[in-house]
Amino acid sequence: MAQMRITPGDLKAMKGEGKRIVALTAYDRPTAEVCEAAGVDVILVGDSLGNVLLGYETTIPVTMEEMLHHVKAVARSVQRPLVVADLPFLSYQTDAAEALRNAGRFLKEGGAQAVKLEGGDRCAETIERLVTAGVPVMGHLGYTPQSAYVLGRNVVQGRDYTAAITIVNEALALEEAGCFAVVLECVPGEVAQAVSERLTIPTIGIGAGAGCDGQILVFHDVVGWGPGAALKFVKRYADVGETLRRAVGDYARDVRAGQFPALEHTFTMPAEARVLFEQELAELDAGCGE
Ligand code: KIV
């Protein structure tokens, strides 16, 4: 029987029941299927795919078309997790109508059930417009990678008390605007806890301590496939990168040594066809030699 899809309402109920929400990024079918099999509640097709998959230095160059390509792959591959698509840089900041057009594409063409966008008060009007139109919105506060050029090397946000209070107020504004959840990225644990206690919607932390209602990490960091695994807030549960390097090295060695493909990897002709084939070849070769 098909699994029931997790809804934004289910996430709020989980917060009420004290059940922690498990979220991860995924960008393609194999990673999405692993997440679903492991019981992940929320899959974020994050614009982090720009760094992780596409080789960009930041998420800033990521386009709607690049995002859609991956949102479709993930949405086609899973039944139960809520699929959230990340609106890329300048797909929602210019005006609410543009934001609605792009968010609508993620739901209609991409098959996602919700979108995420970065920013606090400045996004409230846009969020209201999206939610009114029927688009569930996840907010994102703290370190917001699309503002990397503004934030510079200051990754941890809200370390001083005025910045911390601003984060609390912005989170309240996001709830008021209609967000169904808020990602808190790289904020001190005390700040994330204070926000989580004051919101009725769930907080999903990344580098924000254990006081959040759920946690999210980048899939590739969790499985040890890429440089992000070294970040302070990441716990690496496997060394897939090393496993892959070893496997591909072994394959290259076997090909060079003539040890792959072996007989068991090779198709053969039925015996009768082979005899006839060899006779024909012999005649062909004899004819060529005349
Ligand atoms: O793009 C992304 O993967 C994200 C998460 C890190 C929250 O925004």
Side-chain angles (χ1 to χ4, degrees), residues 25 27 44 46-48 86 116 118 140 183 185 206 216 218:
T25 64
Y27 315 122
L44 171 68
D47 62 354
S48 52
D86 222 355
K116 177 169 84 58
E118 297 181 4
H140 187 156
V183 168
E185 178 163 354
I206 173 165
I216 186 163
V218 169

Side-chain angles (χ1 to χ4, degrees), residues 96-105 107-108 113 115 124-137 177-178:
E98 175 80 349
L100 184 53
R101 240 186 327 272
N102 285 320
R105 289 192 73 194
L107 269 56
K108 285 170 67 113
Q113 294 88 46
V115 302
E125 206 185 306
T126 295
I127 292 165
E128 277 168 24
R129 179 83 183 272
L130 296 186
V131 175
T132 306
V135 181
V137 181

